[in-house]
């Protein structure tokens, strides 16, 4: 016996008839006990999110274990873990998660209900429209057209608009993706006529 370790077989019989011959031995297989961590990734109020990658890192040693992915209804399970503390981190392009990670300690038992909540990740685009004298252009329309990561490769593009204030300043929240930014106002010409904004990694931008 040794703590929580298991042995196979549990015991072994040896017949001793007189003198034990040299080399006689009883062999056992030692097995490390393993446990699981399970949970759920939610999205909105009614749905689980599939295809979320859950990375697993052992705290202290820093050992990285193979990731698992959530199933159709957002559930996941990680098996073959020994007693230790593990850091679980979810990820899926275009989404943010609450909390960003969980520290989970296994101490001789399985752990469940390690849950995350997904939401659409956004970043901020801001900038100024100025005339030739460096003054802000008020009331210009800013058209942002593009495709968010969460719509996939074949998703349709979508346009959003905002307007500049008295100082020529504008700001807008955008889903992570690729966009073209085009200003317009009657009687005005802008250089450049449009510009590109890529925020796939969640960066804020200024144009």
């Amino acid at each position: 016996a040794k703590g929580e370790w298991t042995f196979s077989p549990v015991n072994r019989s040896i017949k001793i008839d007189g003198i034990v011959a040299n080399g006689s031995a009883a062999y056992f297989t030692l097995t490390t006990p393993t446990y699981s961590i399970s949970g759920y990734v939610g999205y909105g109020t009614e749905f689980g999110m599939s295809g979320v990658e859950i990375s697993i890192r052992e705290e202290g040693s820093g050992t990285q274990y193979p990731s698992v992915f959530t199933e159709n209804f957002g559930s996941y399970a990680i098996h073959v873990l020994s007693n230790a503390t593990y850091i679980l981190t979810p990820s899926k392009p275009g989404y943010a998660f609450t909390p960003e990670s969980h520290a989970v300690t296994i101490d001789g038992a399985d752990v469940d209900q390690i849950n995350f909540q997904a939401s659409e990740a956004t970043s901020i685009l801001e900038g100024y429209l100025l005339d030739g004298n460096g003054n802000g252009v008020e009331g210009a329309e800013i058209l942002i057209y593009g495709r968010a990561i969460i719509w996939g490769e074949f998703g349709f593009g979508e346009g959003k608009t905002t307007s500049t204030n008295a100082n020529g300043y504008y700001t807008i929240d955008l889903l992570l993706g690729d966009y073209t930014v085009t200003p317009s106002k009657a009687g005005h010409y802008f250089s450049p006529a449009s510009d590109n904004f890529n925020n796939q990694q969640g960066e804020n931008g200024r144009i």
Side-chain angles (χ1 to χ4, degrees):
K2 180 178 175 61
E4 295 184 357
W5 296 65
T6 58
F7 295 84
S8 178
V10 176
N11 55 55
R12 186 183 293 276
S13 298
I14 301 176
K15 182 180 181 181
I16 299 178
D17 186 7
I19 299 174
V20 178
N22 290 336
S24 296
Y27 294 98
F28 297 87
T29 299
L30 183 63
T31 304
T32 305
T34 58
Y35 307 98
S36 67
I37 298 173
S38 59
Y40 171 83
V41 178
Y43 179 55
T45 58
E46 300 179 3
F47 302 100
M49 177 174 283
S50 64
V52 177
E53 180 178 8
I54 308 293
S55 66
I56 310 105
R57 177 176 57 85
E58 185 176 332
E59 191 175 59
S61 71
T63 301
Q64 194 75 34
Y65 292 84
S67 297
V68 300
F69 290 83
T70 55
E71 300 178 350
N72 288 339
F73 297 101
S75 62
Y76 72 91
I78 305 162
H79 302 288
V80 196
L81 297 174
S82 56
N83 288 339
T85 297
Y86 300 89
I87 308 300
L88 275 57
T89 305
S91 62
K92 187 173 185 177
Y95 294 92
F97 295 88
T98 303
E100 293 182 355
S101 63
H102 267 300
V104 184
T105 298
I106 290 182
D107 186 12
D110 296 339
V111 179
D112 60 10
Q113 295 299 314
I114 304 301
N115 302 327
F116 300 90
Q117 186 68 27
S119 60
E120 297 170 350
T122 63
S123 66
I124 297 171
L125 174 65
E126 62 178 355
Y128 285 89
L129 286 183
L130 304 176
D131 62 21
N133 297 316
N135 300 313
V137 178
E138 182 180 4
E141 181 181 67
I142 309 295
L143 170 64
I144 299 98
Y145 186 85
R147 183 168 57 220
I149 295 173
I150 62 174
W151 298 334
E153 181 180 357
F154 301 105
F156 291 104
E158 182 178 58
K160 296 184 71 174
T161 61
T162 187
S163 299
T164 56
N165 65 13
N167 298 315
Y169 175 77
Y170 70 92
T171 182
I172 191 168
D173 292 338
L174 296 170
L175 298 174
L176 306 192
D178 290 303
Y179 300 94
T180 299
V181 183
T182 305
S184 65
K185 184 176 183 179
H188 289 72
Y189 297 92
F190 298 94
S191 179
S194 63
D195 208 340
N196 297 319
F197 175 52
N198 181 322
N199 67 336
Q200 293 193 22
Q201 303 302 318
E203 309 93 337
N204 294 330
R206 179 182 287 268
I207 295 178

